[in-house]
Amino acid sequence: MNRWETVQADFVIVGGGAAGTMAAIRAKELNPDMEVVIVEKAEISRSGAAGRGMDALNNVVVPGHGTVEEYVEAVDIVADGVLQPDITRIIGERSFGILKRLEQWGCRFPRTPEGDYIVNAFHPKGRFLVEMRGDLKKILAREVSSLGIRVYNRHPVLDLVKSGTRIAGAVALDLGTGVLKAFLAPAVLLASGGAARIGLPNTGYLHGTFDCPWCNGEAYKLGFEAGASLTGFEYTCRSAMTRDFNGPGQSTFIRHGAWLVNGLGERFMERYDPQRMERAPAGIRMRAMMEEERAGRGPIAFSFRHLPSKVIEMIEEGIFEAERPTMRAFFRRRGIDLKRTPVEVVMSEVYLCGGHGLSGLVADRWGETSVQGLFAAGDCLANPYGFLAGAMVMGEVVAERVVERAAPGPSGHDARDRIDRLRRALERHGKGRLGVSVRDFEYKFRRLVNEFLAPPKSETKLRRFLHLTEPMLKDQEDLPARDPHEVMKVFEAKAGLFCARMAAEASLFRTESRFGLYHQRVDYPEKNDAQWKTRVILSPGPEGPVVEKERS
Amino acid sequence: MNLLIDLQCCTGCGACVEHCPGHVLSQDEEGRPYERYPDDCWYCGVCETECPAQCISLLFPYLIR
Ligand SMILES: Cc1cc2nc3c(=O)[nH]c(=O)nc-3n(C[C@H](O)[C@H](O)[C@H](O)COP(=O)(O)OP(=O)(O)OC[C@H]3O[C@@H](n4cnc5c(N)ncnc54)[C@H](O)[C@@H]3O)c2cc1C
Ligand code: SF4
Ligand code: SF4
């Protein structure tokens, strides 16, 4: 791992998922001479949360079905008033344009007999979910390739390069050769997803997470260390997922009208949110689920028996053909038949995500962070419940900004220092003096997340979490990693621990309860709008994170 | 072991290895695919879908089965 190389570009994109590929496509369309480079940990036609497909665009304002105003209002309800409305508004305004582009490229949007899109309700208000079929990532990868965009697959990004206070590039490790590469450019987009491996799932299996397990908060850590701020880290998400499989389904089930029932067969949401029932904001649904289980009324399940078989067939088609075909085999193994059997669900592990929650890098309405030239889009950006359409809209918005600005390449940069520092770190991991595997290390802090950070929270538990994980910050530098894959795993684990600690800091700071279960503080059980209807911002300071309210 | 790879039908094309989003799979000297990092599998089924000869079936990680 001794050689290093440089690659010059105009625009470097970290992560070729939904946001990253869309940003690359838009930039190249607007300026075919621009050198656009995607640096991707996996292989872009199958990588990220949408790698195996998706059965819906969760948030599109379809003309005739909803308005941008209604969309912003719906997201405001889910985010409990704590969001940056201009980003949500842009997503609302441009989401239908994304649908149209995807349709033109060959994504299929099934229609009603009248020829309309199939638009369903999932948000507490309005209808913004459009049924989708087709191999999304294959389609995006094909467009990327047809425009001649350079893609470096199997290159996890480990660090960023700066030129004074500006961004100047990113450093990645070539998993095939072990060579470190500095990708230099005046504009860098972080688009490497959320942080999946924070809590431990009920199975105890490290990669058995709901969210894509290879997106583990590296963007949050890289951005923060480069000087950008984070927000929404107290929004510690958990979702109702198929027991053990932990796969998607929740939104599919709810938008098609499935009921959540407890072990007594009661549709228990009647007790907690009789108006909105299953469509209550996620944190309220999860709090209800936890209370039912605590009262001994588990297990919780989604029930479909009241639904017409046509609807059940549509659910099956969505998850088995578009979203997660392996769920078919799993259901078969467990003897689950949606027409007859309920699907038992458990609460997923805690995860942090800007597109499925509120946690992300803070940026302006063009996706630029406070570090000049450093942008964020998709799940690593705070774009509350932006999901797929939000990721793609913000990818486009960032690309337009980068093309418009056409900044010259940085004159000087610290790539050599960064590479030297990485090399020393990699040598140390090569020695692996801790003598503990990265997987045991990860298991340990994720078990602590379940015990002390997962809601309901309290100051005592959160301080305990910070105290018990403090020595791990030193330990992690001596984790063994003797090949490039293991180096990637060590960097993922470090990012996961960083994110969990940031979540504890933000959770300690917000001395009220908000977001249903997600930030339920037993020592501050009331919601306090007068004091706290504002975002909590974490910024890098000389002695650790500085935690503040966005508005006092 | 998360996968059942039928090496009788495998042509060694490497598609499963190329596309696995978790970098779980590798090929040995004879080009036969194997699970090099089985602990990192998301049972996403990409390998199964990508295999042109359909010789992969998912068993799921034992903790999930
Ligand atoms: C199971 C599941 C089902 C979902 N279903 C839906 C749905 O039906 N409808 C909907 O609208 N939304 C859905 N979502 C949400 C949606 O998929 C995401 O919001 C969206 O994919 C986010 O896009 P992204 O580009 O930010 O992240 P991703 O698409 O996950 O892409 C991130 C990319 O970064 C790469 N990467 C990670 N770390 C690094 C690194 N260090 N260096 C380089 N590259 C890196 C990853 O390999 C990946 O390619 C679902 C999410 C999940 C997990
Ligand atoms: S199931 Fe997915 S993660 Fe597992 S080996 Fe196959 S492609 Fe890789
Ligand atoms: S994709 Fe199928 S045929 Fe090709 S190497 Fe993998 S198992 Fe063998």
Side-chain angles (χ1 to χ4, degrees):
Chain A
M1 297 187 194
N2 259 330
R3 282 188 307 123
W4 69 288
E5 294 169 10
T6 54
V7 177
Q8 294 285 347
D10 299 310
F11 184 22
V12 166
I13 297 169
V14 178
T21 50
M22 209 58 165
I25 293 167
R26 187 78 186 128
K28 201 72 181 170
E29 275 173 354
L30 292 172
N31 179 0
D33 296 331
M34 185 174 235
E35 267 304 334
V36 181
V37 170
I38 297 179
V39 190
E40 162 59 47
K41 172 188 279 187
E43 185 278 317
I44 66 161
S45 77
R46 285 296 183 206
S47 64
R52 195 43 213 89
M54 293 274 133
D55 67 354
L57 276 184
N58 285 2
N59 49 331
V60 185
V61 179
V62 180
H65 289 272
T67 64
V68 174
E69 292 310 321
E70 284 164 355
Y71 176 70
V72 176
E73 213 183 305
V75 178
D76 187 74
I77 296 171
V78 197
D80 227 337
V82 181
L83 79 168
Q84 190 182 346
D86 52 1
I87 289 187
T88 299
R89 177 167 296 278
I90 294 172
I91 294 171
E93 284 165 0
R94 298 183 53 153
S95 52
F96 190 62
I98 292 289
L99 181 154
K100 284 305 212 186
R101 299 202 88 184
L102 294 177
E103 194 167 39
Q104 203 188 341
W105 291 338
C107 260
R108 199 165 65 78
F109 292 89
R111 305 278 184 139
T112 62
E114 293 74 40
D116 198 2
Y117 296 105
I118 302 177
V119 189
N120 279 308
F122 175 66
H123 295 75
K125 211 174 172 178
R127 302 171 83 81
F128 307 106
L129 246 114
V130 187
E131 287 293 315
M132 176 175 71
R133 302 289 183 265
D135 219 336
L136 180 69
K137 283 306 300 290
K138 286 269 168 194
I139 291 171
L140 291 168
R142 190 194 62 211
E143 294 302 313
V144 164
S145 144
S146 74
L147 288 166
I149 293 158
R150 274 195 287 164
V151 180
Y152 288 78
N153 286 318
R154 304 288 178 207
H155 279 68
V157 168
L158 307 183
D159 204 357
L160 295 178
V161 178
K162 285 184 78 178
S163 171
T165 55
R166 288 180 44 180
I167 204 69
V171 184
L173 175 68
D174 182 338
L175 289 183
T177 61
V179 170
L180 289 169
K181 291 183 191 162
F183 294 85
L184 302 175
V188 173
L189 168 62
L190 291 172
S192 65
R197 283 157 34 213
I198 302 299
L200 203 58
N202 72 320
T203 58
Y205 179 57
L206 294 179
H207 283 68
T209 49
F210 155 64
D211 213 342
C212 172
W214 311 294
C215 299
N216 209 33
E218 290 108 302
Y220 299 140
K221 184 166 184 280
L222 291 169
F224 185 83
E225 286 171 354
S229 300
L230 297 166
T231 189
F233 269 58
E234 70 280 27
Y235 195 91
T236 41
C237 281
R238 309 184 68 177
S239 303
M241 292 295 150
T242 306
R243 173 180 283 285
D244 301 337
F245 185 87
N246 217 352
Q250 180 182 242
S251 82
T252 313
F253 298 159
I254 292 176
R255 75 172 180 272
H256 287 296
W259 291 345
L260 270 172
V261 294
N262 64 17
L264 306 178
E266 299 164 330
R267 196 178 171 196
F268 60 87
M269 284 307 293
E270 265 162 10
R271 262 198 283 281
Y272 303 90
D273 199 331
Q275 241 96 56
R276 299 177 291 193
M277 303 294 274
E278 285 79 8
R279 283 169 59 201
I284 293 179
R285 197 163 58 232
M286 287 308 100
R287 185 156 172 182
M289 195 166 146
M290 179 163 278
E291 305 222 338
E292 289 300 299
E293 275 170 358
R294 290 244 161 102
R297 292 193 288 266
I300 308 299
F302 274 110
S303 167
F304 307 87
R305 281 191 13 209
H306 59 287
L307 294 175
S309 30
K310 256 198 149 51
V311 174
I312 296 182
E313 279 153 24
M314 173 144 267
I315 295 178
E316 287 176 338
E317 185 199 271
I319 54 176
F320 296 161
E321 280 164 37
E323 185 126 344
R324 198 77 182 267
T326 55
M327 231 161 147
R328 189 200 294 273
F330 181 81
F331 278 12
R332 203 174 289 140
R333 257 177 185 278
R334 292 271 165 115
I336 301 170
D337 171 357
L338 296 189
K339 289 203 174 109
R340 287 181 293 113
T341 6
V343 173
E344 201 181 319
V345 287
V346 292
M347 228 179 277
S348 77
E349 65 290 336
V350 165
Y351 60 96
L352 298 161
C353 183
H356 257 216
L358 308 189
S359 326
L361 286 155
V362 176
D364 62 19
R365 62 185 293 275
W366 296 279
E368 188 166 17
T369 68
S370 58
V371 179
Q372 199 190 339
L374 182 64
F375 295 81
D379 286 351
C380 65
L381 170 71
N383 69 132
Y385 288 88
F387 297 108
L388 265 180
M392 293 191 262
V393 165
M394 288 311 291
E396 286 196 340
V397 168
V398 168
E400 287 161 18
R401 188 72 168 167
V402 170
V403 170
E404 177 192 288
R405 192 180 280 165
S411 45
H413 55 73
D414 63 358
R416 174 165 281 282
D417 291 350
R418 299 281 171 163
I419 298 259
D420 283 346
R421 209 178 58 168
L422 268 175
R423 251 198 217 134
R424 283 196 299 275
L426 267 45
E427 264 166 36
R428 201 161 152 184
H429 290 305
K431 294 194 182 107
R433 286 210 189 88
L434 188 65
V436 168
S437 79
V438 62
R439 290 168 182 82
D440 278 359
F441 176 89
E442 184 176 327
Y443 184 89
K444 178 165 172 157
F445 84 73
R446 291 175 65 186
R447 182 179 52 92
L448 294 172
V449 166
N450 284 16
E451 286 179 70
F452 297 113
L453 172 63
K457 306 169 187 173
S458 72
E459 178 173 346
T460 315
K461 288 202 286 176
L462 295 165
R463 289 209 186 282
R464 204 74 200 118
F465 180 76
L466 288 169
H467 174 75
L468 288 168
T469 52
E470 174 94 39
M472 299 183 81
L473 294 175
K474 197 160 151 282
D475 289 349
Q476 68 184 3
E477 302 307 333
D478 289 305
L479 282 167
R482 302 204 167 88
D483 67 26
H485 180 92
E486 292 300 292
V487 169
M488 174 170 76
K489 287 292 139 191
V490 165
F491 277 73
E492 287 172 3
K494 285 181 181 177
L497 176 57
F498 164 87
C499 291
R501 288 179 55 88
M502 288 292 163
E505 296 281 3
S507 299
L508 262 176
F509 185 74
R510 187 182 280 283
T511 47
E512 62 149 2
S513 286
R514 191 172 286 270
F515 319 128
L517 177 70
Y518 296 163
H519 184 67
Q520 184 189 351
R521 286 276 308 246
V522 295
D523 41 1
Y524 296 94
E526 301 302 327
K527 181 155 111 178
N528 179 348
D529 273 343
Q531 294 271 322
W532 285 104
K533 199 170 172 182
T534 182
R535 300 197 296 178
V536 168
I537 310 285
L538 295 149
S539 306
E543 276 148 48
V546 177
V547 198
E548 294 163 311
K549 289 182 190 176
E550 188 165 44
R551 283 189 312 272
S552 51
Chain B
M1 272 259 294
N2 313 309
L3 311 174
L4 202 61
I5 306 179
D6 180 354
L7 292 173
Q8 297 295 310
C9 90
C10 171
T11 63
C13 72
C16 53
V17 179
E18 184 193 337
H19 295 287
C20 167
H23 197 240
V24 170
L25 306 173
S26 202
Q27 277 170 291
D28 67 13
E29 293 93 69
E30 267 101 70
R32 285 178 303 226
Y34 69 101
E35 290 174 61
R36 183 155 175 199
Y37 303 102
D39 289 341
D40 304 345
C41 172
W42 193 30
Y43 43 99
C44 63
V46 160
C47 50
E48 203 179 36
T49 313
E50 289 291 338
C51 175
Q54 285 159 2
C55 28
I56 301 185
S57 47
L58 194 60
L59 290 174
F60 296 99
Y62 187 68
L63 293 172
I64 309 295
R65 267 177 229 170

